[in-house]
Amino acid sequence: MGKSRRTIPEELLLLALDPATGTTAQPQSLDLGLAGAQLVELALAGRIAPDGDRIAVVMPRPTGDPTLDSALELLRRRGSPVRAVHWIGGPRLGLRQIYLAHLERCGMVHAVAGQMCGVLPTTRYQATDTAISREIRARLDSAIRTGVPPDPRTAALAALAHAVGLGKHLYPGNEGRSSRSRLRDLIRHDPMGGLVAHAVMDVQNGVAAQPRRDRVPAQPAARATASSGVPLQPRRTGAMARAAAH
């Protein structure tokens, strides 16, 4: 993969970077969004593919991007397809700092040291070329305002921006309400982007333990039902089982 084109994780982070403060919007959820963005980029590169609500490695050959290849290798080591929610919610937090350092090495941002309350050291990041951020934003704005189906990269970026809560950062206030709604609607234009965006939201909502039957095909084991045709309920144990019996 050549570096002439920015990756979706890079673009998502640049979208989240506030040019006035040098900080990132939605820092808590941004790590999750970056993990999802890596999956989309690997899918676009032909390295992985969706398998129901799971992610399967279809070509383990490195892309040439160290951060993406690290994720690809971790997926390969799993040996079998992994649920998107489990991957995104796994122990790979800290991606925001990894990608900020990556953007700094690539010359797209520069770090500015400072202090909070005159005591605590802080680091802010400023884009070195604001035209890049404006171009990324213009693509989203065009997709939102024209209603023309965007290309897969822009659709996936929009889906992830919505999933991590950047809508209020990009289109604030009551005047931005319709734009935020259209940003959310762009999620349907890219299947992989939609899969990972829903997984990001599931992790944030704490519902990653159950497959999303309404949005992605369930695996056979997830469709188990009782003989009556009613979906099986989680098994009760201990005091819960005794209480249910009375």
Side-chain angles (χ1 to χ4, degrees):
M1 177 186 295
K3 289 304 296 176
S4 60
R5 176 158 55 184
R6 295 178 301 274
T7 65
I8 294 175
E10 292 168 355
E11 292 197 330
L12 182 65
L13 185 51
L14 288 171
L15 269 182
L17 195 61
D18 190 317
T21 65
T23 60
T24 52
Q26 302 300 115
Q28 300 301 320
S29 57
L30 194 53
D31 278 340
L32 303 175
L34 290 170
Q38 286 185 320
L39 293 181
V40 176
E41 192 65 51
L42 287 170
L44 289 171
R47 292 341 192 244
I48 65 173
D51 180 8
D53 67 345
R54 298 173 184 267
I55 303 298
V57 174
V58 295
M59 184 189 298
R61 189 181 70 210
T63 66
D65 182 304
T67 51
L68 291 176
D69 290 340
S70 175
L72 180 62
E73 177 61 14
L74 287 173
L75 285 166
R76 186 193 66 79
R77 289 178 184 175
R78 294 291 185 97
S80 60
V82 59
R83 286 186 62 203
V85 286
H86 290 164
W87 172 260
I88 290 169
R92 278 172 312 286
L93 299 183
L95 279 177
R96 182 167 50 98
Q97 290 303 321
I98 290 173
Y99 267 101
L100 282 170
H102 169 72
L103 290 180
E104 186 178 16
R105 289 192 301 271
C106 293
M108 284 192 269
V109 303
H110 69 275
V112 180
Q115 289 184 328
M116 181 182 296
C117 302
V119 179
L120 300 175
T122 62
T123 303
R124 297 180 295 112
Y125 293 87
Q126 300 290 343
T128 56
D129 186 353
T130 56
I132 294 176
S133 298
R134 289 197 301 270
E135 183 272 330
I136 298 169
R137 175 67 181 271
R139 281 166 38 215
L140 282 188
D141 289 346
S142 177
I144 285 173
R145 291 170 181 166
T146 65
V148 176
D151 62 274
R153 301 183 71 83
T154 302
L157 181 63
L160 288 161
H162 166 71
V164 302
L166 287 184
K168 291 183 179 179
H169 167 70
L170 298 171
Y171 307 103
N174 288 333
E175 65 275 15
R177 184 178 300 173
S178 61
S179 293
R180 293 195 299 270
S181 177
R182 288 193 287 271
L183 180 70
R184 179 197 63 218
D185 292 342
L186 289 175
I187 203 169
R188 70 182 186 275
H189 288 293
D190 180 61
M192 187 65 180
L195 169 65
V196 299
H198 286 305
V200 167
M201 290 185 284
D202 278 352
V203 173
Q204 293 180 84
N205 294 331
V207 294
Q210 295 298 324
R212 293 194 72 90
R213 294 171 185 158
D214 57 334
R215 290 187 174 98
V216 293
Q219 297 298 306
R223 291 198 296 265
T225 58
S227 58
S228 63
V230 179
L232 291 176
Q233 300 300 312
R235 185 178 61 183
R236 296 188 176 104
T237 60
M240 290 178 62
R242 290 193 295 272
H246 290 290

